Amino acid sequence: MMHRVVIIGSGFGGLFAAQALRKAPVEITLVAKTTHHLFQPLLYQVATGILSPGEIAPATREILRHQKNARVLLGEVTEFDLAAKTVTAVVPSGEYSVEYDSLIIAVGASQSYFGNDHFAQFAPGMKSIDDALELRGRIFSSFELAELSDDATEIDRLMTFVIVGAGPTGVEMAGQIAELAHRTLVSDFRKINTRATRVILLDAAPAMLGNFGKRLSDKAKLQLERLGVEVRLGAKVVGIDHKGLDIKESDNTPHRIEASCKIWAAGVMANPLTKTIAAQSGAQLDSVGRILVEPDCSLPGHPEIFVIGDMMALNHLPSVAQVAIQGGRHSAKQIIKRLKGDQSRTPFEYKDKGSMVTVSRFYAIASVGKIRTAGIGAWLIWLGVHITYMIGFKHRVTTLLHWAVSFVGTGRAERVITEQQVIARSAIERLGDRVPNPYNANKDLE
Ligand SMILES: Cc1cc2nc3c(=O)[nH]c(=O)nc-3n(C[C@H](O)[C@H](O)[C@H](O)COP(=O)(O)OP(=O)(O)OC[C@H]3O[C@@H](n4cnc5c(N)ncnc54)[C@H](O)[C@@H]3O)c2cc1C
């Protein structure tokens, strides 16, 4: 019988592992709870109307259509039986199990509200296409409602956008909302002056983009301020509600900001599935819930299971796309090596290819090898890297066209918002188990 490899997750780790096994004598089953491969670094551009969801989330089965040793199954994995070597997944129509000889787990991370999960309904995070579309709905709706209001205080509230978390995602989001308000939308409204929009970027830490060093971080801050973003560091969010948020400055002074649209870009924690795996295997978790793996990325006591990407804790590696991509390729190589009879375990060696953040059109900061640069040069590096890692020729072409529309021109081609995007998640959460199941008439509402 052919060696069965089950891969969980179609993100950077899972997809690159599957592709690295394309010539191997294995039968691959890739199980993921979404039908697409999501390019998370560009989610903020979906949220701000630059790109369409399809451009950053091509269908996984389309990507793997020519790889005959791989099949793709929809399913949210909920259980493992490490002794029987099975994985159980649920879908709206029921559940199923798959058996494995080797298992690669790459289910990524979730948003962390640092114990304040009730903040989520007022300040959504950005981890999925649903999140990005909901945020797009909230951002564009705020301007629409402001145009309709006659109350100056309410208009100010609607035109105040607060982004919590001054890491790469927060910085990119703040820059894009500022460009949207101060550049793209200026001629579109008759009553409101979108140039008066306030974009506030908050962080409890005293510095932003700490990993880039002080010089680049200061340059990014200056560029944001040039765009009209208010950067408030040392400001901790202590409360969020429908109308705004409460913060405590570094000297403990309380402060209130009235804002309709709040975006959470502050924290990340490992996928809850790590707890299930730890409970069965006895593996240890780090402070953000990632699994401490062996040097070859395998689960302690289970050399046949690899845990990679954002859910893996190894040598203090960051939770970034390259760690997941290289982890996926590394685990594929280990499986191929073992099938050839070599049971040695090669430690994972991460090659840091650098990091970059776009602040605005034509302005990024980049730290690649010894190069530390800011401005248009860094932006061109950013452009090249993102186009290279996007999947599919046609997605690259349409993305470049959309970028031309937004960065060379002043437009945003993807401004569609629907009622469902804005309100559906809250409605579904409120209904809980009472949501009718359209896929399975037998399991419908009682
Ligand atoms: C907004 C944002 C911006 C980012 N920007 C950058 C950047 O600029 N540069 C950079 O290097 N990194 C960036 N990252 C981080 C990067 O995207 C992650 O490090 C990377 O995606 C991790 O890959 P992964 O395969 O571990 O997980 P993911 O890519 O998150 O994939 C997880 C997969 O698992 C699936 N899944 C989850 N739970 C289950 C389950 N129970 N059952 C089945 N399937 C499941 C998901 O559907 C998904 O397919 C960013 C992340 C975010 C959220």
Side-chain angles (χ1 to χ4, degrees), residues 270-318:
N271 190 296
L273 216 51
T274 53
K275 286 193 187 134
T276 315
I277 301 163
Q280 271 211 33
S281 66
Q284 302 291 304
L285 303 181
D286 74 358
S287 60
V288 288
R290 300 182 304 173
I291 296 183
L292 290 156
V293 296
E294 298 286 356
D296 65 344
C297 301
S298 66
L299 185 68
H302 289 273
E304 75 286 7
I305 302 178
F306 295 90
V307 174
I308 57 169
D310 279 5
M311 61 184 308
M312 166 189 94
L314 178 68
N315 303 333
H316 305 288
L317 290 173

Side-chain angles (χ1 to χ4, degrees), residues 8-14 31-34 36 38 40-41 43 75-77 106-109 126-127 169 172 271 273 308-311 319-322 324 356 386:
I8 311 174
S10 58
F12 284 107
V31 183
K33 70 173 184 183
T34 49
H36 51 256
L38 178 59
Q40 286 176 346
L43 270 173
E76 176 166 2
V77 171
V107 290
M126 203 170 39
K127 279 269 157 212
T169 302
E172 290 178 329
N271 190 296
L273 216 51
I308 57 169
D310 279 5
M311 61 184 308
S319 292
V320 293
Q322 274 301 328
M356 54 209 70
H386 282 72

Side-chain angles (χ1 to χ4, degrees), residues 57-90:
T60 315
R61 63 177 67 258
E62 187 190 3
I63 302 169
L64 294 176
R65 70 190 183 284
H66 297 306
Q67 189 173 326
K68 298 296 178 207
N69 67 350
R71 65 171 176 159
V72 178
L73 299 180
L74 175 68
E76 176 166 2
V77 171
T78 50
E79 280 171 44
F80 298 89
D81 186 332
L82 303 189
K85 296 191 177 174
T86 60
V87 166
T88 302
V90 294

Side-chain angles (χ1 to χ4, degrees), residues 165-176 201 208-209 220 224 357-359:
T169 302
V171 166
E172 290 178 329
M173 198 69 191
Q176 277 316 314
L201 179 64
M208 53 180 253
L209 298 172
L224 279 178
V357 174
T358 42
V359 184

Side-chain angles (χ1 to χ4, degrees), residues 341-359:
D342 180 352
Q343 300 301 319
S344 65
R345 295 165 68 172
T346 316
F348 175 50
E349 275 180 33
Y350 174 60
K351 289 177 197 67
D352 186 354
K353 296 195 173 174
S355 34
M356 54 209 70
V357 174
T358 42
V359 184

